[in-house]
Structure formats: structure tokens, C-alpha cells
Amino acid sequence: MPRLTADRRHTVRFTLNGRAVEGEAEPRLLLVDFLRHVLGATGTHVGCEHGVCGACTIQIDGDPARACIMLAVQADGADIRTVEGLAPAPDRLSVLQDCFREFHGLQCGFCTPGILMSLDAFLRAQPDATEPEIRTMLSGHLCRCTGYVPIMAAALAARDRLKANPDA
Ligand code: FES
Ligand code: FES
């Protein structure tokens, strides 16, 4: 992490979806605002801004993390993945994204990037996750419009498809 001086901007460098990026950030700038406003990665959404709703969830060094309760300068040197990095190719969705599309696991879609980033990490770490375990994990994400039924259907389908083909 760079040595901080409160009254000036600092250069923050990290890997974003496999690409080296950098930008200037005041010490108080949140990581989620750095991603959106400095780097233009607007796929990560901002909801509650205090670590409750899960909308801002990204992956840092492979683990899900809330970008609204971390400062941009703390991410210096990290490997960051956002929803923009989920699809394996511009014309191909990931298995998880495809299941959300098929089961219509979204309505307004505001919560969806965060849920996808959590589920992606969760299903990789726990390929045999049970339905209650997936529900418990999803309880850390507040969705205002789906009632969670299609989200669960998509998550279960993704679990089964990834288990059958872990390299997909
Ligand atoms: S915006 Fe980060 S948890 Fe709600
Ligand atoms: S789909 Fe609208 S908040 Fe979740």
C-alpha cells in the first residue's frame, strides 16, 4: 500500500479483470467509486454504501469482497475481478450468467452483479453446496424485486452444470 498523505491524490495500481490499470485516488475514495468513476467499470453497483446489501461485491485475490467498505488505496497491488470479467469471451456468457439468463434470475438487475460475483466464488469453493447453504450465502445479498425464487433456480442449475463440467 502506498504511504498516505491525506491532502493529495495517490496512484493506485492493480489488475482489473486480467488487465493492469491505474488511477489517482484521494485516501478517502472508496474502492467502488474508484472502479466506477475513475476506471469506468460501472458494472459494479452501489446500494447501501455500508456493507449490508451486497450490490458492490467484487472478487479480490479470488475472494468475494464488498467494494464499498474498502478504500481504493487498500487495493493497490491486488488482483481484482468484477462482473465485467465473468464472461469467458465477448460473445459468450459464463455458465452462471447463462443460468441467470435462462431462469430469469433478475428483474431490475441492480443486485445481480454482486450476486454473480459471490456465487461465482462460492460455487468454485463449494461445488457440492446444498440448497440451504446457497440460501445462506445469498442471505448476504438484498434483492428488492425477485423474491429470490428465480435466483435460487439459477444458482442450483449453475451448481449442477459446473459440477458436471468444472472447466466450463
Ligand atoms: S453497496 Fe456495498 S454492501 Fe451495499
Ligand atoms: S433484481 Fe432488482 S434488486 Fe435484485
Side-chain angles (χ1 to χ4, degrees):
M1 195 165 85
R3 196 163 156 272
L4 300 185
T5 308
D7 59 351
R8 72 171 179 88
R9 291 171 176 240
H10 301 267
T11 303
V12 177
R13 298 181 179 89
F14 52 72
T15 306
L16 178 62
N17 299 321
R19 202 167 50 90
V21 294
E22 68 173 63
E24 299 293 303
E26 288 178 18
R28 66 182 175 176
L29 186 67
L30 297 175
L31 178 56
V32 71
D33 291 330
F34 184 74
L35 287 168
R36 291 177 55 86
H37 302 307
V38 179
L39 300 179
T42 54
T44 302
H45 293 166
V46 188
C48 67
E49 282 190 283
H50 55 268
V52 174
C53 75
C56 66
T57 304
I58 59 174
Q59 291 173 10
I60 302 179
D61 297 331
D63 294 323
R66 306 212 152 172
C68 74
I69 51 172
M70 182 166 167
L71 299 169
V73 290
Q74 292 176 292
D76 194 60
D79 183 18
I80 294 188
R81 195 164 172 237
T82 62
V83 71
E84 288 94 339
L86 266 191
D91 60 347
R92 220 175 101 219
L93 296 175
S94 71
V95 169
L96 182 59
Q97 288 172 307
D98 207 34
C99 289
F100 267 69
R101 182 196 55 76
E102 183 177 332
F103 291 88
H104 199 63
L106 64 150
Q107 284 187 31
C108 79
F110 197 83
C111 66
T112 314
I115 289 179
L116 289 173
M117 297 316 287
S118 281
L119 267 174
D120 176 82
F122 184 75
L123 293 177
R124 265 188 288 117
Q126 296 193 48
D128 294 314
T130 62
E131 180 171 341
E133 286 169 341
I134 295 174
R135 276 188 197 283
T136 300
M137 192 285 290
L138 281 174
S139 70
H141 287 267
L142 305 184
C143 176
R144 292 79 166 171
C145 32
T146 68
Y148 292 87
V149 173
I151 293 175
M152 271 308 296
L156 290 170
R159 176 202 62 189
D160 294 344
R161 288 177 200 180
L162 287 168
K163 231 164 97 173
N165 188 3
D167 296 327

